[in-house]
Every structure is written in C-alpha cells, then in structure tokens.
Amino acid sequence: MTAPALQTVERPGTAGGPVAHGGHTWAEARRLAFDCASPLGPEHVPLAGATGRTLAADVVALQEMPHYASSAMDGWTVSGEGPWAMTEPGRALRSGEASPVVTGGVIPPGTQSVLRVESGRVETGADGQAMLMLGDGASPGEPRPGQHIRKSGEEAAAGEVLIPAGTTLNPAHIALAAVAGFDQLTVRGKPLVKMLVTGSEVVTARIPAPGQVRDAFGPQLSTVIQMLGGVPGPLVRIGDSYEEWLTALGASEAPMGQWPDVIVTTGGTGRSGADHFRNAVAALGGRLLIDGIAMRPGHPAALAKLPNGRFVVGLPGNPLAALMALFTVGGPLLAALGHQPLPGISRVPCGTTIDPHRAPTRLMPFRWVNGLANPAHHTGPGMMRGLATADGVMAVPSRGVQLGEPVPAFALPWRPQLQPPLPGNLIRGD
C-alpha cells in the first residue's frame, strides 16, 4: 500500500517553503505546539472525578441551605414554658407541648427551641401523661428562644454563588456541591490522551532476552501525561508493521465525544523503512505541524493533526529522547488544550563548563550541587538513570556555556520547582 504524501507547514516567520527535517528550533517547537491548539470546551464530570479540575461555571445554591430548619442536638422540640406535655414526633406544637427530636431532625411548626437531652427528663404524671421536665443538667435560662435550632438558609440563600467559576476544586468544594444537591459539575476541558506504544521487541515483564527490551513507557507514561495536564486514556501496544500503525491510529475514529484529543505514539518517527509514523498519518489525511526538532536527544519528534481535529504527538523510541520530546511538544500542547499557560523557562547557573556541540540545543538533565546546576551522568538517549535523579533539565545552546553562566532550564513534572536546596541541605526539626 502506498501512502499519500504528507503535507508540511511553513516555518513561522519565513516567507514560504516547507520545513526541513529538524528545521524547528527547540524554542520554536515549544511555541508552535502551544499556539496550534485552542482550549477545549467545558465538560460535565461526576463529583467523584472533579477534584483538581477547574470550575467552568458558578456553582449556585439550588435552594436554601439548609433547606429546612433542623435540630442541632438530640433532645426535644418545645413550645412555651415547661413543664411540657409530650406529644408524637413531627406534629405541630402548641404552647406547653414537646416532642422528641434527633440531631438533624425536622423542626415541627410551633417549635420555639430545642431542649438538649442532657437538660431534661421525662416523667409520668398522675393522669398517666408523659411530661418533659427540666433536668438537673439544665443551664440557667435554658431553653432560650431559638436555642439549638439550625435555621433554614443560614448557610446560603437560594441562588447564592457557592463556588465561583475559575476555582480549582478541592475535596471540601466537592462536599459542598454534594450538600447543595449536585451530582456533577461543569469544569474546563482537559485533553483525553490515547497512548500508542510500539515495538515487537518490547516485553512487559521479567528480564529481557538479547534482542528484547523492557517496556519503559507503559509503567510511567500515563502518570507523566497526567502530570502534564492530560487525562490518560487507553494504552495500546502494537508491533512494527505499517498495517498495525494504520489500524491503531485509525481506531481513534469514533463517535463524537469519544475521540481522544491527543494520541501519543512511541517509536516509528525515524526515517528508515521500518518507521511508519509519517506514512500512517498521511494515509489518514493528516498533516505535519512539526517534523523533527533541532535538539538532542529527541530530534526525530513530530507533531501532526488529523482531519478530525485530533493531534498526534510522535515520540522517538529511546526512553530519554522520548521524554525530552514529550516535554518539548506534548507539554505545551496539553497546556494549551487544558486552559493552562505555556510552561515557563527559567535560568539556572551552570556548575561546569560545557563545550560547544553540533546540536543547536542539548537538553541535559541536571542536579543541584552547591547551588549550581551540574549535568547528570547516564543521560544517553536510551538511558533513564540520569533523569531519575535529576532536579531539572538545561537547554544548552550549541556554543556551550561557561562555569556560572545562566542557562535556560525547565522543571520536571515531578519536580515542579527549579530551586536549589537550602545551603548544607538543612533539615528543619520540630
């Protein structure tokens, strides 16, 4: 099967001509990945899934809160002066009458106050009538008018804004919405991400044999997607054939509302006959927005858009290269779709001299040493050891840097602050 030719896009700021492989700089790729997407529309989510989401519409009290007057104590509802003749629960009271009530119970009409259970006792009169009397535990003046009664509407009036739009929802917000009678909330959209892990040599358990590799993506990709602001969807594993690629990408065609907003693929972005990212995207009528980035590692990364409006982020197959590409392209894309700003870039003082390199940008995981950013060891494209202990990533220009020179850097999703530790790694005690 021959795939149609891919469409390319013009490089921003140029007068024409397709983008060559690796034609986008690292900074251009970040900006383009952010600018190519618009924030998703609002969606309705159940209360149980709303924590951490951003409210898109005010939560307004549907009725008074509480919506009925209730007792704040176990005891008796009373009317008038005591002693009080006991009557059945829930019936309207006349002066001189009382009825039992529990905490949260409805206050019947005619009630003037609630006498708590510790303050009263029930006795039987000569005529057999049960009578409520003040007990020895009653305070002077008890019961006072309105005492121990929770009035309807004392927390909120009907129509009052309980939680304003734009609020990041915490568990207390969820509880408030539940008390107010909501089953779901309208929140800002977050991108649903399908993950496509490729490679017939990939194994998911035990020590790999020669020619095999353990799956470095499956155990962590969903978590990283979530940290970057996406909603992890299905993770699909396929081999290396073009037909498998085409089927897996085409399987994203589903009724509206069930499509993933983004598909993240691993591997297949190279230029050999065994790499099918571009051909599969072309066969589906997609177009490339980014076709390679002038950076190391991760330069074969790609970003495409399908006719249905969904994005496809193509990551290289090597684990470190893939994550550097995901942070460069996937992070900004997910931020734009999810109503978030472009992730920031800071400057950190470099802890060593770094020689010039032919790559326009080198993404180098670093660790803080005495307040300086020192390149981590074990950071080859297929290695994860260096990144596992890193505090951030430096974007080193091709000219290199000098000791102490500020270098652009970005935080890792699991280490969101790019700040060196306190001098001496001080540990505060109690």
Side-chain angles (χ1 to χ4, degrees), residues 387-402:
L387 187 64
T389 59
D391 295 307
V393 179
M394 292 188 290
V396 179
S398 60
R399 61 174 176 78
V401 294
Q402 300 300 312

Side-chain angles (χ1 to χ4, degrees), residues 45 47 64 72 91 149 152 167 178 188 201-202 228 234 242 250-251 325 334-335 354-355 360 364 390 409 414 429:
V45 298
L47 292 185
E64 288 185 334
R91 200 188 76 180
I149 294 178
S152 62
T167 299
R188 292 177 183 172
E201 77 284 7
V202 176
L228 292 174
Y242 171 69
L334 296 178
I354 301 178
D355 294 331
M364 303 180 68
W414 50 90

Side-chain angles (χ1 to χ4, degrees), residues 109-129:
T111 300
Q112 294 179 347
S113 59
V114 170
L115 182 68
R116 58 190 180 127
V117 70
E118 297 88 350
S119 300
R121 67 179 187 275
V122 177
E123 298 181 354
T124 303
D127 58 356
Q129 171 68 50

Side-chain angles (χ1 to χ4, degrees), residues 13-194:
T14 62
V19 175
H21 175 57
H24 287 291
T25 67
W26 174 73
E28 286 174 345
R30 293 182 76 248
R31 172 53 66 177
L32 177 56
F34 183 79
D35 289 343
C36 73
S38 299
L40 297 171
E43 57 181 303
H44 305 293
V45 298
L47 292 185
T51 300
R53 300 294 295 268
T54 302
L55 199 62
D58 293 342
V59 173
V60 177
L62 303 176
Q63 59 184 353
E64 288 185 334
M65 293 176 59
H67 59 284
Y68 62 93
S70 64
S71 175
M73 294 284 180
D74 291 340
W76 301 270
T77 59
V78 299
S79 178
E81 299 291 333
W84 301 271
M86 293 295 297
T87 185
E88 61 188 61
R91 200 188 76 180
L93 299 182
R94 294 177 294 185
S95 182
E97 291 184 334
S99 62
V101 71
V102 296
T103 302
V106 176
I107 298 296
T111 300
Q112 294 179 347
S113 59
V114 170
L115 182 68
R116 58 190 180 127
V117 70
E118 297 88 350
S119 300
R121 67 179 187 275
V122 177
E123 298 181 354
T124 303
D127 58 356
Q129 171 68 50
M131 299 294 296
L132 173 64
M133 318 290 290
L134 284 177
D136 295 338
S139 303
E142 191 176 3
R144 294 181 296 274
Q147 189 174 21
H148 304 315
I149 294 178
R150 296 171 179 163
K151 297 178 181 179
S152 62
E154 68 179 8
E155 185 171 6
E160 186 176 345
V161 175
L162 301 176
I163 314 172
T167 299
T168 300
L169 296 167
N170 62 36
H173 292 131
I174 303 305
L176 175 59
V179 170
F182 288 86
D183 299 319
Q184 58 183 14
L185 296 174
T186 303
V187 297
R188 292 177 183 172
K190 290 182 72 171
L192 176 64
V193 182
K194 173 182 176 179

Side-chain angles (χ1 to χ4, degrees), residues 361-387:
T361 299
R362 278 180 292 171
L363 298 182
M364 303 180 68
F366 73 85
R367 298 186 66 184
W368 290 114
V369 178
N370 296 324
L372 299 176
N374 280 259
H377 300 295
H378 309 292
T379 56
M383 299 179 181
M384 291 302 297
R385 185 176 175 183
L387 187 64

